[in-house]
Amino acid sequence: MSAATGDAAVPPGSAPRPPRPSRPAQPAFGWLVRSRWWIAWNTITRGARWRRLTYAIVLGGLVVIGAAAAVMGGFATWFLRDFTARDLTPEQIALGIDARAATDVILATSLSGAMLLVVMVGFTVALASLYLARDLDMLLVSPVSRRAVFASKLLGGILPGFALVGILTVLPLIGHGIANDYGMAYWSALVVAMLLLPILPTAFGAVAVVLIVRRMPAHRLGEIVGLIVVAMTMAIVLLLGSANRLQETMNFREILDYLGRVRHPYSPAEWLTRFVAAAGRHDVRTALTWLLINVGVSIAALVPLYLVSDRLYQDGWIRMQSANLRKSIRRGILWWQRPERAADLGRPSGVLAWLSPPVVAVVRKDARLLPRDLTNSAQILSPLAFGVFFIVQQILYPLRIGGGDSGTAFTQPVLTMFAAFVASGVAAMVFSRVALTGLSVEGKHFWIIQSSPISPRQLVLAKFVVALLPYGVLSGALIVLFEGARLIRTAVDAQLSLTAALGLVDVPILLYAWFVSIVVGAGVVAVSLAIGTARPNLKWDSPHEMMTPDVGCLSIIFYGLYAVIALFALAVPGAISRFPTLEHVWLYWLAGLTIGLGTTAAVVGGSLWLAAHEVPHIDG
Amino acid sequence: MNTTNEAAPDGDWMIEATDLVKRYGTFEALNGMTLRVGRGEIFGFLGPNGAGKTTTIRILTGLLQPTSGRARIGGHDLATDPLAARAIMSFIPDTPYLYEKLTAREYIHFVAGLYKTPPDIAARRMEELLEVFELADRADDLIEGYSHGMRQKTVMIAALVHDPQVLFLDEPTVGLDPRSAKLMRDVYRQLAARGATIFLSTHILEIAERMCDRIGIVQNGKLIALGTMDELRRLAAQNTSLEDIFLELTGGAAFAEIARVLA
Ligand SMILES: Nc1ncnc2c1ncn2[C@@H]1O[C@H](COP(=O)(O)OP(=O)(O)OP(=O)(O)O)[C@@H](O)[C@H]1O
Ligand SMILES: [Mg+2]
């Protein structure tokens, strides 16, 4: 017998399979979910000590953040109630009007925020887990019912994200309940509300994904997700912007009213709010009414989900499988990907001329693979959306220092360095992930690299360049865009001509800002690469499994610590360099550059050295 | 058992495995694998499923660290000088996982870069091989649209472009049509005639019988027989075909059992 029968491991896209007749639902769903938990449990308990330590650190961090959230929720509630109670007249009190009702706005904002997050996460996660997972090929042809596959994939994708959103939502509400002296009714209602909360948005997202994929292959969908994210960002910017402006003129009462606008009568979050709030005040009839409404809505949302989960789901999947993969790479705007440049893979040239052929091969290989895989772009979009946010913000509500005179020359560098700060943050979020998964991305293909004569140092250097090069391009572009947006606003406000406006650009500071962001980027990328190399995950089926959450959290803790020190040290001399009254500016430069470049050199050198030492221990 | 070899003079061993042991927990996938293959030899590696063929090959190609024992390729120790050892060899695995989002040309150039093959030489050899394997007109398509056999050919071409001295193949002909399988056999023979050493594991006894200079039979992580066809025939006196030899040495009784179970 040959290995040809063991086809389960053949990657997707090999061949479309005929649809199976649908079967009645079987206990398979429970089995699929349980097997998922086994995998998760085994990774934690059987993991190395290193891994358990990371979980402990991450857990500790979450506890601290959680406690802070709970305290803040409680304090806000207490403050609001106290404030309102002082306003109540004796007649109102006699009528039974309760100051606690004013604090419902905290419930409403928490629940609305959670729901918005679930909608945003739900759509992308549903897409990734329902259609882009690699083991679907095997699952959908196995005799497990399609509904079971659908449900387990959806849950597996949504649950981790929702767990986090849920915890962050519940904590301030715990503080809220304690501050209001609510009893058992509130606590049980809160639990019920949290269970109901994700159903509607998840169902909405999943049904939308299934329906859209039926019309077009999931590969295209990534672009649509991008548009949605950008549109949502614009909406949030406009909302926050108007809040910003109101803040200057409104008193506390009016801000409260403004926040109260979240409480739209048609918002599902509002229905949950009314239920929990009524339960808290022992208003049994209202509470029961709203409970019934919420449960009814959730059930109603599950019906389309159930309908869609069988035939339509499989149709979409088949459509995707039978999408023409024989596509040429001739078209496309990324010029380095064209077929006539295939030989570049084995030849150092251009910006990479100083590197050895194996390093160049890996760098150019990744530069082709990353943009061609849309599952990567889904993760890149949210940080980029933040960049868009900042650009729009700069045009509509520009940052200013010291009142209205935005053109003061000596404060400009401060804002430029701030732009570098934001640009570094956005670029770091995108490309630290590229570095973190630098080794894991090789996955089952790792044998190619592992059996070839590329040295660990060369491999690590290649992965470092792969992340840092586009980081530099992106952060540079963002700095220019941020500054450009601010300049446009300044020019319009002061009614300057184009040339006069361009004259305001402080080129040396702009270049220095870019330099700072690249230096910090080198450290961030190196730290991420070291962590990702120490704990690679080569056994993934679906790309979003590449990065385990503990590794993600750990890297943020480490590179965050470093980035704050280095950014601050490097940015301060740049920011204050044009202050007219400052003496001994060179001292600031000396100190800043020494600390910033020194820590960066140590961090980059140490991280890359560590990573190179880990490579031989990776078992492919 | 015959562990000596007349094909290569002492000191010209291209593949040397000494007492290789691989343990997974308490399970010994390999226990004391020792073999040597000389320059220009085609060595066939046979054995039942789970005998340890893939494990041996993965250790010899540096993909797996042995629990103990030594492996040398062309005189370079895999533990102390892995890069020199890897530079002169190629590996073609049983399931060729390839980058789905590269084209065959890009993939082959990528591998050529890893082995520092000069680009013009790589390009020339690649185009020749693409023609020979009839892959040229699909070579600018993404690999994700390839059939199993096309993937196999892509790996094969990439493995040959840097002109390896040692070639490891794990079940090389799985998924190939008869014409391509024949073509590949011819290519191996040509390579061996030019001095390359070929180490292949296979379940197709006919390939082993017709192509290999020497054959090793593994069972339970150990070599149980080693030698030329003639030597193996002598070992199992009354049998003539390799299949009979194989079945006798590895316990052919199991096949009667299969027939009983399926009946
Ligand atoms: N990662 C692993 N963990 C535990 N056991 C393993 C692992 N990899 C292989 N084994 C075991 O080692 C033994 C040898 O496996 P190997 O893949 O070398 O067999 P093989 O001779 O190539 O078989 P086949 O002809 O089926 O390809 C098997 O019993 C297998 O179960
Ligand atoms: Mg095998």
Side-chain angles (χ1 to χ4, degrees):
Chain A
M1 260 299 165
S2 72
T5 44
D7 248 353
V10 169
S14 10
R17 318 246 168 170
R20 296 211 137 219
S22 103
R23 288 153 188 268
Q26 289 152 359
F29 167 65
W31 182 81
L32 283 176
V33 170
R34 223 167 329 138
S35 63
R36 195 69 235 146
W37 277 114
W38 277 336
I39 295 172
W41 180 247
N42 281 342
T43 13
I44 298 176
T45 53
R46 304 242 182 109
R49 193 185 305 159
W50 192 95
R51 175 155 294 226
R52 271 180 271 166
L53 189 73
T54 11
Y55 279 112
I57 294 176
V58 169
L59 214 67
L62 281 181
V63 167
V64 172
I65 295 173
V71 168
M72 265 166 60
F75 183 76
T77 304
W78 172 81
F79 181 77
L80 263 180
R81 202 190 52 207
D82 206 49
F83 185 84
T84 319
R86 261 186 266 141
D87 272 8
L88 288 181
T89 58
E91 297 84 48
Q92 283 174 317
I93 295 171
L95 278 172
I97 290 176
D98 192 344
R100 286 191 289 196
T103 67
D104 288 354
V105 77
I106 288 178
L107 264 174
T109 31
S110 302
L111 293 176
S112 305
M115 205 166 259
L116 193 72
L117 275 178
V118 178
V119 172
M120 280 173 66
V121 174
F123 194 75
T124 26
V125 171
L127 177 64
S129 50
L130 284 179
Y131 287 105
L132 302 177
R134 299 209 170 173
D135 54 353
L136 277 179
D137 211 354
M138 180 196 63
L139 284 178
L140 279 175
V141 294
S142 70
V144 175
S145 94
R146 286 180 298 215
R147 288 217 165 91
V149 175
F150 179 89
S152 72
K153 281 281 153 199
L154 188 59
L155 266 189
I158 299 275
L159 270 185
F162 180 69
L164 202 70
V165 172
I167 289 171
L168 291 180
T169 319
V170 154
L171 287 167
L173 296 186
I174 290 178
H176 173 78
I178 293 175
N180 266 340
D181 264 340
Y182 282 152
M184 263 326 282
Y186 174 80
W187 301 115
S188 1
L190 189 58
V191 171
V192 174
M194 290 316 294
L195 291 178
L196 291 176
L197 176 85
I199 294 179
L200 188 65
T202 304
F204 176 76
V207 170
V209 165
V210 170
L211 289 181
I212 296 174
V213 169
R214 243 191 97 225
R215 299 246 134 251
M216 70 184 72
H219 306 96
R220 295 261 116 215
L221 211 60
E223 291 148 33
I224 300 178
V225 174
L227 278 182
I228 293 176
V229 171
V230 170
M232 275 192 160
T233 313
M234 301 284 270
I236 295 172
V237 173
L238 291 174
L239 207 81
L240 287 183
S242 61
N244 236 0
R245 179 163 303 172
L246 288 171
Q247 204 180 349
E248 290 160 15
T249 55
M250 280 193 323
N251 61 28
F252 182 68
R253 191 86 266 162
E254 283 165 326
I255 292 176
L256 249 189
D257 287 344
Y258 185 80
L259 267 183
R261 279 195 222 165
V262 175
R263 310 197 55 184
H264 196 278
Y266 291 126
S267 152
E270 172 64 15
W271 306 333
L272 284 172
T273 304
R274 292 194 184 171
F275 159 57
V276 179
R281 288 193 288 277
H282 292 289
D283 183 348
V284 179
R285 251 192 43 189
T286 320
L288 278 182
T289 313
W290 283 108
L291 175 63
L292 278 180
I293 292 177
N294 282 308
V295 171
V297 165
S298 300
I299 291 173
L302 286 177
V303 173
L305 194 65
Y306 181 80
L307 291 179
V308 123
S309 65
D310 195 37
R311 257 247 97 78
L312 292 183
Y313 173 46
Q314 175 134 356
D315 283 356
W317 179 76
I318 287 173
R319 238 192 109 77
M320 226 192 85
Q321 291 292 297
S322 47
N324 186 9
L325 293 174
R326 272 191 72 170
K327 52 183 174 278
S328 165
I329 50 167
R330 229 161 289 272
R331 291 175 302 128
I333 45 166
L334 301 177
W335 70 94
W336 67 85
Q337 303 213 3
R338 304 216 174 105
E340 64 268 22
R341 319 236 355 195
D344 286 358
L345 278 154
R347 180 197 307 138
S349 61
V351 265
L352 302 180
W354 52 287
L355 294 166
S356 66
V359 179
V360 172
V362 174
V363 172
R364 294 207 158 125
K365 184 263 295 175
D366 280 349
R368 283 168 171 77
L369 289 184
L370 293 175
R372 284 179 194 168
D373 200 344
L374 271 176
T375 38
N376 293 317
S377 60
Q379 269 106 346
I380 285 172
L381 282 168
S382 13
L384 276 188
F386 188 75
V388 177
F389 174 97
F390 198 71
I391 293 171
V392 179
Q393 173 98 23
Q394 288 297 288
I395 294 184
L396 294 180
Y397 320 102
L399 274 174
R400 280 178 186 149
I401 293 179
D405 57 339
S406 51
T408 317
F410 74 88
T411 58
Q412 293 286 359
V414 181
L415 297 177
T416 307
M417 294 318 293
F418 185 71
F421 198 91
V422 177
S424 304
V426 172
M429 274 193 275
V430 175
F431 290 105
S432 78
R433 187 179 172 279
V434 171
L436 261 179
T437 57
L439 264 287
S440 301
V441 81
E442 297 295 335
K444 289 174 179 146
H445 320 116
F446 192 51
W447 70 270
I448 300 167
I449 290 199
Q450 212 181 2
S451 65
S452 79
I454 184 172
S455 73
R457 278 158 184 251
Q458 288 174 321
L459 182 59
V460 167
L461 177 62
K463 295 296 181 179
F464 181 67
V465 172
V466 163
L468 187 59
L469 219 58
Y471 171 101
V473 173
L474 178 64
S475 78
L478 284 176
I479 291 174
V480 168
L481 285 173
F482 292 163
E483 286 295 284
R486 199 163 54 82
L487 199 70
I488 289 173
R489 177 62 188 239
T490 312
V492 169
D493 283 354
Q495 295 185 327
L496 294 173
S497 70
L498 190 67
T499 39
L502 280 178
L504 290 178
V505 178
D506 193 338
V507 176
I509 289 294
L510 212 56
L511 284 178
Y512 181 68
W514 191 33
F515 169 75
V516 168
S517 97
I518 289 178
V519 168
V520 174
V524 167
V525 164
V527 170
S528 308
L529 187 58
I531 292 176
T533 311
R535 303 303 307 169
N537 177 20
L538 296 162
K539 302 201 167 78
W540 45 270
D541 285 313
S542 157
H544 68 257
E545 292 164 14
M546 257 191 278
M547 199 174 83
T548 46
D550 58 322
V551 168
C553 290
L554 203 76
S555 76
I556 292 179
I557 294 172
F558 274 110
Y559 81 63
L561 207 69
Y562 151 77
V564 167
I565 296 173
L567 259 180
F568 194 74
L570 291 171
V572 164
I576 61 177
S577 57
R578 302 272 194 262
F579 283 13
T581 52
L582 208 64
E583 280 176 56
H584 304 305
V585 177
W586 64 273
L587 258 178
Y588 290 90
W589 280 108
L590 185 69
L593 287 176
T594 311
I595 297 172
L597 295 180
T599 41
T600 303
V603 162
V604 170
S607 300
L608 295 188
W609 182 83
L610 264 176
H613 270 253
E614 288 296 330
V615 168
H617 302 298
I618 299 174
D619 249 345
Chain B
M1 195 184 309
N2 185 352
T3 45
T4 59
N5 180 335
E6 58 268 34
D10 236 28
D12 207 14
W13 301 113
M14 291 308 285
I15 304 171
E16 290 171 273
T18 316
D19 262 333
L20 288 181
V21 174
K22 180 67 189 177
R23 266 188 224 107
Y24 292 109
T26 56
F27 173 73
E28 281 204 347
L30 288 187
N31 50 19
M33 174 72 65
T34 300
L35 55 82
R36 290 185 287 189
V37 184
R39 187 184 299 278
E41 211 183 342
I42 302 184
F43 185 85
F45 209 39
L46 308 183
N49 291 131
K53 301 182 295 295
T54 300
T55 307
T56 306
I57 292 184
R58 288 178 71 84
I59 289 175
L60 290 175
T61 48
L63 295 177
L64 208 61
Q65 307 273 358
T67 311
S68 69
R70 264 183 32 181
R72 307 209 308 170
I73 304 294
H76 305 289
D77 195 309
L78 270 170
T80 55
D81 197 3
L83 299 185
R86 287 180 204 160
I88 59 168
M89 69 172 156
S90 274
F91 171 47
I92 299 174
D94 46 354
T95 26
Y97 284 106
L98 293 175
Y99 301 105
E100 302 278 309
K101 302 281 183 187
L102 287 187
T103 69
R105 278 206 178 84
E106 288 171 340
Y107 174 70
I108 296 164
H109 276 300
F110 165 67
V111 174
L114 287 179
Y115 287 82
K116 298 186 189 163
T117 317
D120 43 332
I121 296 177
R124 208 183 56 235
R125 292 186 64 119
M126 177 183 75
E127 293 306 332
E128 283 168 13
L129 288 165
L130 283 174
E131 284 302 331
V132 170
F133 285 104
E134 295 172 336
L135 209 60
D137 57 331
R138 292 290 300 275
D140 282 330
D141 292 354
L142 295 184
I143 290 173
E144 63 182 354
Y146 285 14
S147 73
H148 185 85
M150 292 165 71
R151 286 161 196 251
Q152 199 89 9
K153 290 178 187 172
T154 309
V155 181
M156 186 78 206
I157 297 171
L160 294 180
V161 158
H162 68 95
D163 203 8
Q165 296 177 39
V166 181
L167 201 58
F168 287 95
L169 306 121
D170 200 355
E171 302 186 30
T173 48
V174 169
L176 290 181
D177 63 62
R179 230 166 77 86
S180 307
K182 163 102 173 52
L183 183 68
M184 222 165 258
R185 283 201 297 273
D186 294 346
V187 170
Y188 301 149
R189 266 206 212 94
Q190 277 258 317
L191 286 171
R194 282 175 31 199
T197 304
I198 294 171
F199 187 110
L200 60 93
S201 93
T202 182
H203 289 298
I204 303 172
L205 299 178
E206 194 205 334
I207 293 187
E209 197 165 354
R210 296 223 319 245
M211 278 185 61
C212 298
D213 301 317
R214 282 194 309 149
I215 290 166
I217 299 181
V218 238
Q219 192 172 24
N220 296 329
K222 239 197 198 119
L223 265 187
I224 56 166
L226 177 72
T228 62
M229 264 313 285
D230 286 337
E231 287 166 346
L232 289 181
R233 265 194 208 106
R234 247 174 277 139
L235 207 65
Q238 73 279 39
N239 294 309
T240 45
S241 82
L242 185 57
E243 181 171 358
D244 291 335
I245 299 171
F246 180 86
L247 292 182
E248 182 182 315
L249 290 176
T250 59
F255 286 79
E257 186 75 357
I258 291 171
R260 196 183 57 75
V261 170
L262 291 179

